[in-house]
Amino acid sequence: MRERLLACVLGAAVVAIATTGAAPGYAAASAPTAVIVQCRPGAAAAVAALVARDGGTATAVLRGTDTVLARVPSARLAALRVAPGVAGVTADAQVHLAGQKWQPDGDPFSMYSVDSLTGALAAFGMQDAKQQNLTGRGIGVALIDSGISPVQGLNTPGKIVNGPDLSFESPSPTLRYLDSFGHGTHMAGIIAGRDPGIAAGKEQKAAEKSFVGMAPDATLVNVKVAAADGAVDVSQVIAGIDWVVTHRADPGLNIRVLNLSFGTDSVQDERLDPLSHAVEAAWRNGIVVVAAAGNDGVTHTAVSMPAANPYVIAVGAADSNGTSGRADDLVASFSTGGSAVRHPDLLAPGRSIASLRDPNSYIDVNYPTGLIPNDASQRFFRGSGTSQATAVVSGAAALLLQQRPNLTPDQVKALLTGTATRLNPQLAPLSGNPLAQGAGELDLQAALTTATPVGAAQTWTAATGTGSLEASRGTAFVRDPVTGIELHGEQDIMGQSWTAASWAARESAGTAWTGSVWNHRSWGGAGFTGTDWAGTPWAVQSFTFSGGSWTGRSWTGRSWTGRSWTDGYWSSASWS
């Protein structure tokens, strides 16, 4: 973990420097912060001198790696970050020597730290009207993603309820519902992970050494749409949203939150886009939709679809800089900044988050540096992105809805944005986009102790959904790997023509799914068995259109890869 440990190997020796506690001689108002300063080539000595001139102390100068370890007055951190010769400043912390066991309470990017920073940890000690601790109990959170694998932390009976598998892997009994990509399991852990054996009411203390997600007793409703390579068409995602709306009140579900940790680069107005209309219909049917703003960087002005819809909660990522407090938090450099027309509504922790690993998944196999050093269990994996931040906010929404079940989606959004904490004004300009933080960083404890807002109803122009399915795809298309033919045009993955007006009317009414039928074709998933929705998987059939045969099982694609699912932040640089 570069953010927590810097080791310089000299011959056979490992030199590690611990920088904890406060140095004498500093006033409380300018208490020093231990930092690792990454310098530009050849600038280490000059940066060390600059630190000294600013009243700090350079504890080590590692010229071989152009690094300075220093203690810097907190008031001078902002200036240091932009000083000549400085490439980056991250917080230092206590070093754990090789072989020492990794623990959540010693990792600033663990779920324990996320729970603590956001206020979820404090929420676990609060109670709802039934005198139950706030843990998300009774709230269903639908996760439309790459599936969920029942790894430890997600394998408690009743934790996961499988909706229909709409992915290209649904024909395979060994892959159906499961996460062969690794993304959905990571999100599920953040939202509602809970290690077995944690007694009710003991979540606060247990989180120090065990894995506890934001809403550890929420029910995860698994709607799988993406396959092992991330391949999925926008029609599958819309079908998944429609299924959630239709089945939101089924026995045992009570779906109140919908997590969408992905996005397309749609090329049409959000008032016309079918994906935008789908999430707005979910919102109007009482479901809090939480969507990722995107990972295109703070200078990018267009948030992803469906976060572009103004009703839903668009989430950007905060960078905690490896500390437990908010004073040095920034907008993560990868988080999409947005524009005056639409930008993130708020931020949540999204850098280097340690959530549940999905062994042998695509991400696990291809990015082994995401594994946490010194974690003997090898259960956890690091990931960065607005995907992770979105999952954090979905868990927070579940806790709010347990506390106050009658909250409308508009009221949930008003509470979360109205109580968010603005970034340190000295550091906020470093993001380069004043809109990127939205209302600020999530403060769940403040939201839980704030009165229900009156008159919070949003009044944006309604989305019609009468636009183009092709335009909604943006640049994300699935294709047949044999013929190379891509799926284009106003048709879904079944080859069924897309009539926007008739679909939009059914979607608005919450009746887009009838039994196993969506868009006039059978997609499976008609009957509930108690834990799964059973039915003949749609992809066992073959469909022919656009001159090529599409069998479902053989599809691969660029869809959601290279931008939103895998992105640069699902790379070895951030899975570490």
Side-chain angles (χ1 to χ4, degrees), residues 62-320:
L62 308 177
R63 301 191 184 204
T65 56
D66 294 305
T67 302
V68 174
L69 305 184
R71 302 181 68 79
V72 179
S74 299
R76 300 301 300 163
L77 278 174
L80 179 62
R81 294 181 193 278
V82 296
V86 174
V89 179
T90 56
D92 200 357
Q94 183 177 359
V95 167
H96 297 284
L97 298 180
Q100 185 172 339
K101 185 179 180 181
W102 175 84
Q103 294 285 7
D105 59 352
D107 183 347
F109 304 105
S110 69
M111 278 310 300
Y112 169 77
S113 296
V114 173
D115 291 341
S116 179
L117 179 68
T118 60
L121 198 66
F124 299 157
M126 301 170 67
Q127 293 186 325
D128 62 13
K130 299 178 181 178
Q131 304 302 306
Q132 295 178 321
N133 283 43
L134 295 184
T135 57
R137 185 177 301 278
I139 303 299
V141 181
L143 181 63
I144 298 179
D145 213 291
S146 57
I148 306 174
S149 294
V151 298
Q152 183 179 341
L154 295 171
N155 57 355
T156 305
K159 166 62 67 179
I160 302 170
V161 175
N162 291 316
D165 185 337
L166 306 178
S167 76
F168 304 140
E169 295 174 339
S170 65
S172 171
T174 60
L175 295 176
R176 195 174 303 146
Y177 310 127
L178 301 180
D179 183 10
S180 56
F181 189 52
H183 186 275
T185 302
H186 207 260
M187 301 306 109
I190 294 170
I191 296 169
R194 181 190 181 101
D195 273 353
I198 300 175
K202 303 297 183 181
E203 293 82 9
Q204 283 179 312
K205 184 63 177 175
E208 296 179 9
K209 304 299 179 185
S210 302
F211 187 84
V212 181
M214 289 288 295
D217 287 329
T219 300
L220 289 165
V221 182
N222 175 25
V223 181
K224 179 179 175 180
V225 295
D229 59 356
V232 58
D233 184 62
V234 71
S235 62
Q236 290 163 279
V237 177
I238 293 173
I241 296 170
D242 289 351
W243 184 91
V244 167
V245 173
T246 299
H247 293 275
R248 66 192 184 281
D250 283 5
L253 293 192
N254 190 32
I255 299 174
R256 301 295 308 278
V257 182
L258 172 57
N259 186 92
L260 300 173
S261 288
F262 55 78
T264 74
D265 54 346
S266 171
V267 293
Q268 66 191 325
D269 192 293
E270 55 83 16
R271 290 167 293 186
L272 300 175
D273 192 283
L275 184 53
S276 175
H277 181 265
V279 295
E280 189 171 314
W283 190 271
R284 295 181 187 279
N285 278 282
I287 299 173
V288 177
V289 181
V290 189
N295 299 328
D296 293 311
V298 292
T299 60
H300 194 76
T301 58
V303 300
S304 297
M305 183 65 71
N309 183 286
Y311 280 93
V312 306
I313 301 175
V315 183
D319 182 347
S320 70

